[in-house]
Amino acid sequence: MNWDNMPLLVILVLAVIGNNHSVSLAVSALLIIKLMGLTTWFPSIENYGLNIGITILTMAVLTPLAQGRISIGEMLDAFKTQSGLIAIIVGMIVSWVATQGMYFLKASPEATTALIVGTIGGVCFLHGLAIGPLIASGVVAMILNLLNLFKQ
């Protein structure tokens, strides 16, 4: 095994220590793909993985609707409570922040490494979720935009 695999191995060890099965599985899959010589898959995973992951995540969130465990009436009731209204507003804001993060990652690939390190740290040691880079990059973009406003 060459040293190119070391970052993934370190992340794998951290994920195992942090008992994070999602990261362990993701890193193991990437290592297996790499060791099997299927590196031509990497561009497709990089280009489409986020959309596929978001689609699967959305399916998981919508499954109670599909199963009939949440009715239209219950959805409408969300507009009648303080926590429901706050959840709707925060959901919209976070969705927008994530979109800004996607644009930021495309425009500033140098920030990707730092976001990955931060996300892996959060996942492994704070038991966070690996969806952090998108939200984190959106927050970074917002902070940088604010800092730019103050520079002017």
Side-chain angles (χ1 to χ4, degrees):
M1 188 177 304
N2 63 29
W3 289 101
D4 291 345
N5 295 324
M6 193 55 65
L8 288 175
L9 291 171
V10 169
I11 292 169
L12 179 60
V13 168
L14 292 173
V16 170
I17 290 170
N19 199 28
N20 192 296
H21 303 292
S22 298
V23 174
S24 298
L25 181 62
V27 172
S28 296
L30 290 172
L31 280 169
I32 289 169
I33 289 168
K34 189 171 183 180
L35 293 172
M36 290 179 66
L38 302 172
T39 55
T40 57
W41 290 11
F42 286 154
S44 294
I45 294 169
E46 185 176 6
N47 290 331
Y48 304 111
L50 187 59
N51 287 335
I52 292 168
I54 289 171
T55 300
I56 292 170
L57 180 62
T58 303
M59 288 172 58
V61 170
L62 294 176
T63 297
L65 287 171
Q67 292 176 324
R69 292 194 332 235
I70 297 176
S71 68
I72 298 278
E74 290 172 314
M75 290 175 65
L76 293 174
D77 286 343
F79 290 95
K80 297 177 185 174
T81 66
Q82 182 179 15
S83 62
L85 287 171
I86 292 170
I88 290 167
I89 292 166
V90 169
M92 292 172 67
I93 291 169
V94 168
S95 174
W96 178 80
V97 169
T99 301
Q100 302 311 303
M102 194 169 64
Y103 295 139
F104 176 72
L105 286 178
K106 288 180 181 177
S108 305
E110 72 280 358
T112 302
T113 304
L115 288 166
I116 289 171
V117 170
T119 299
I120 295 301
V123 166
C124 293
F125 300 113
L126 303 175
H127 302 287
L129 296 175
I131 58 170
L134 209 50
I135 301 298
S137 61
V139 172
V140 169
M142 290 171 52
I143 291 170
L144 291 174
N145 286 336
L146 283 173
L147 290 174
N148 286 334
L149 283 176
F150 290 118
K151 286 181 182 178
Q152 295 175 0

